Amino acid sequence: MLDSLSAWLALNIGEQASSWFDYFTNGKHLAWYASVRFTLLAAVFGALLAVVFGVLGAAARRAGFAPLRWLGLGYTTMVRGIPDVLVFLFFPLAFEQTVEWFMSRRLCSAEELATAVNWPPCSAAQWYLSTTEYLIMACVSLGIVYGAFAANVVHGAMNSVPKGQLEAARAYGFSSRQIFWNFQVRQMWVYALPGLSNVWMLLLKATSFLSLLQIADIVQWADRLGAPNYSSRVGLVHPDWRWKYYFVLFLFYILLAILSERVFAWLQRRASRGLALHGEH
Amino acid sequence: MDWLLDNALVQDIIELARPSLFNIYFALASIPIGFPLAVLLAVMKNSSNGIISRVARIYIYAFRGSPLFIQFFMFYSIMLAFNLSHWKPMGIAHIVMHPLFIGPMVLILNTSAYAAEIFYGALRTLPKGEVEAAMAFGMNRRQIFRTVTWPNMIRLAWPAYTNEVVFLFHATALVYFTLPVINGQKDIMNKAGELFERDYNIFLHFGVAGLYFLVISMFIFFVSGRIYKRLMRHIGTDPTTRLKLAPNYMR
């Protein structure tokens, strides 16, 4: 199909258009376009996990059991002191290490374990991760990092739920667990939405880190495609065009931000139907 | 004394001390230029002139809407593209291609957009009565800015700006993921990565790296809290005006 389109362009518009079309639809470029899926998958599943971790973190922060409360507080405070990229890299690498440690206990001989200088102690315990596995870990990692941001948002939103609603629920004889999940968590979303939209924007931008986990994402492909390109047939196809490819990514992320803003504005309008919120009539 | 120095944790803390100076350098080099640029952009965005306001709006949106990671790659490759044609003939290649120059440059462009949005938000919530009183006194625009707009803006924006400074410091962790390391000038993340490659003890090395960021962030919050107290000293010791360390997560 691409070939026939190219031929049509050559006939109707000119050789120039056809050759540009061929350039932008060559195998490497198609791989680049396809790699957008990693970014979007990581953003969507990372965000879903972030909401789950956010609700759990906020729930832990108001738990009756003190150590759980401290854990929640520590989790939500973490993002204030430690860069996201450090946490993002830490969890996948730490998980990989932990698995390899258990595998080495089972698979390596005693003397290998005692004398090993390198990691893992024997090659049988080495865990080679596929792109899919790295992507899953990246999603979990994004979920953990931005779950801490989301927990702060959710914690604030839970406090915004009108007290009367909770008191009415208590008066009806609901248990405190029911009040928490069925009233407080149910009703907080509309208050949490503006904050969560902020967290989504942060998370979207953090999907550019995927290449740090050896995933061939849009950033890595942009680097490969932009590097000076020689071919035996034509010689120098193009000099260093990396900045052009990165500029495209720059625009791509801005476009995603504009789109997300629209979607969240729509969600906010939908969620606040029938609610007398502050500042509205 | 030796048992203390042989301790792996202490060793890591010593090894990461010099790299942490590079992170501090990147943040310190970016703030003095990023701050006035942000104020300028905020005033521009608040301007009644449509073109000026739109330019600032687009700039702020672009730099807040795209990842810093991409911005680093983009500006580094732009600088590379100009290297042979411009920087080399001008004889400034060794300066402008150095990470210690490009790092702060990109961070300034980035942080000025985030901080401008904060200052713009503050400008929108200035107490109207004070501005009107100044106008009634017959002050000109410059006097109004100096005596009413500026002090109010700084006070309103200070807690959020503190957050931005901490996030800027965290963002310095990205510099050497994109720029080349020259003469062993490594930052915390880079050094932690190198230590990790040596013995694969991620819990220790990344833990200590995180500790460095945590301690320095807390120090920034502490200093900023003192400054905030001074800025708000005419308000009195109302506990609600104390700097809360998590006012918003607008970054």
Side-chain angles (χ1 to χ4, degrees), chain B residues 45 75 120-121 146 151 153 162 164 186 200 203 212 228:
Chain B
K45 187 172 175 181
F75 282 103
Y120 173 73
R146 209 171 55 81
M153 184 185 80
T162 304
E164 167 52 28
K186 299 188 165 187
Y200 293 94
F203 294 96
Y212 261 99
Y228 191 60

Side-chain angles (χ1 to χ4, degrees), chain B residues 11-23:
Chain B
Q11 283 251 306
D12 257 33
I13 291 174
I14 294 168
E15 289 233 47
L16 283 169
R18 193 179 105 97
S20 75
L21 293 179
F22 284 93
N23 291 80

Side-chain angles (χ1 to χ4, degrees), chain B residues 3-125:
Chain B
W3 63 269
L4 190 66
L5 286 175
D6 285 342
N7 184 299
L9 187 73
V10 176
Q11 283 251 306
D12 257 33
I13 291 174
I14 294 168
E15 289 233 47
L16 283 169
R18 193 179 105 97
S20 75
L21 293 179
F22 284 93
N23 291 80
I24 294 170
Y25 161 77
F26 286 124
L28 281 184
S30 311
I31 292 166
I33 306 171
F35 177 77
L37 194 59
V39 173
L40 180 71
L41 280 164
V43 173
M44 278 170 71
K45 187 172 175 181
N46 201 31
S47 157
S48 52
N49 183 324
I51 299 169
I52 292 179
S53 162
R54 185 158 304 167
V55 168
R57 204 174 283 269
I58 291 172
Y59 175 89
I60 292 169
Y61 198 92
F63 278 90
R64 289 180 75 230
S66 60
L68 176 62
F69 201 50
I70 303 281
Q71 289 164 19
F72 265 120
F73 276 124
M74 189 173 77
F75 282 103
Y76 180 54
S77 52
I78 289 175
M79 293 299 272
L80 268 178
F82 280 119
N83 194 19
L84 284 180
S85 59
H86 289 78
W87 314 138
K88 278 262 167 67
M90 286 160 78
I92 52 169
H94 62 288
I95 300 172
V96 296
M97 290 310 292
H98 203 285
L100 295 184
F101 176 84
I102 297 181
M105 182 186 89
V106 181
L107 287 170
I108 285 167
L109 293 172
N110 184 267
T111 189
S112 62
Y114 282 102
E117 189 63 26
I118 292 167
F119 292 136
Y120 173 73
L123 281 179
R124 303 289 292 177
T125 47

Side-chain angles (χ1 to χ4, degrees), chain A residues 80 93 97 202 205 250, chain B residues 64 66 114 200 249 251:
Chain A
R80 245 175 285 164
L93 292 176
Q97 289 256 287
L202 294 175
K205 286 180 263 177
F250 184 67
Chain B
R64 289 180 75 230
S66 60
Y114 282 102
Y200 293 94
Y249 288 89
R251 181 139 200 177

Side-chain angles (χ1 to χ4, degrees), chain A residues 60-264:
Chain A
R61 253 180 90 164
R62 50 180 64 220
F65 184 52
L68 196 60
R69 208 160 54 228
W70 298 330
L71 190 76
L73 192 65
Y75 176 54
T76 51
T77 321
M78 168 188 86
V79 292
R80 245 175 285 164
I82 301 173
D84 49 357
V85 64
L86 197 156
V87 186
F88 177 79
L89 284 177
F90 175 80
F91 282 104
L93 292 176
F95 182 69
E96 190 184 339
Q97 289 256 287
T98 313
V99 170
E100 281 180 344
W101 187 84
F102 279 109
M103 299 224 298
S104 71
R105 297 292 116 168
R106 278 189 54 196
L107 299 172
C108 301
S109 63
E111 72 238 58
E112 273 174 332
L113 281 176
T115 58
V117 257
N118 289 323
W119 185 268
C122 64
S123 55
Q126 177 94 45
W127 183 23
Y128 292 103
L129 284 103
S130 66
T131 299
T132 316
E133 283 161 334
Y134 267 126
L135 190 65
I136 292 170
M137 286 214 209
C139 290
V140 174
S141 221
L142 285 173
I144 290 170
V145 177
Y146 291 97
F149 283 90
N152 277 310
V153 171
V154 169
H155 180 71
M158 280 180 184
N159 290 337
S160 305
V161 173
K163 291 277 170 296
Q165 294 275 346
L166 308 179
E167 281 159 14
R170 189 163 302 130
Y172 271 105
F174 286 98
S175 70
S176 44
R177 177 178 296 223
Q178 280 175 318
I179 293 173
F180 180 74
W181 289 109
N182 295 352
F183 293 84
Q184 210 159 7
V185 173
R186 259 284 180 67
Q187 292 191 20
M188 63 147 200
W189 296 108
V190 67
Y191 303 99
L193 211 49
L196 288 181
S197 104
N198 245 326
V199 176
W200 163 258
M201 295 290 189
L202 294 175
L203 193 146
L204 203 57
K205 286 180 263 177
T207 56
S208 58
F209 295 151
L210 291 183
S211 58
L212 298 180
L213 287 181
Q214 295 160 38
I215 297 169
D217 71 333
I218 46 175
V219 182
Q220 206 159 78
W221 274 111
D223 194 65
R224 285 184 204 167
L225 285 163
N229 187 355
Y230 296 92
S231 90
S232 49
R233 201 155 47 83
V234 241
L236 184 68
V237 180
H238 63 73
D240 191 352
W241 273 5
R242 264 175 297 187
W243 70 273
K244 296 182 184 177
Y245 282 90
Y246 282 125
F247 186 65
V248 172
L249 289 188
F250 184 67
L251 295 180
F252 170 73
Y253 272 103
I254 293 171
L255 194 74
L256 280 185
I258 294 173
L259 273 176
S260 323
E261 230 170 38
R262 293 263 162 92
V263 171
F264 271 101

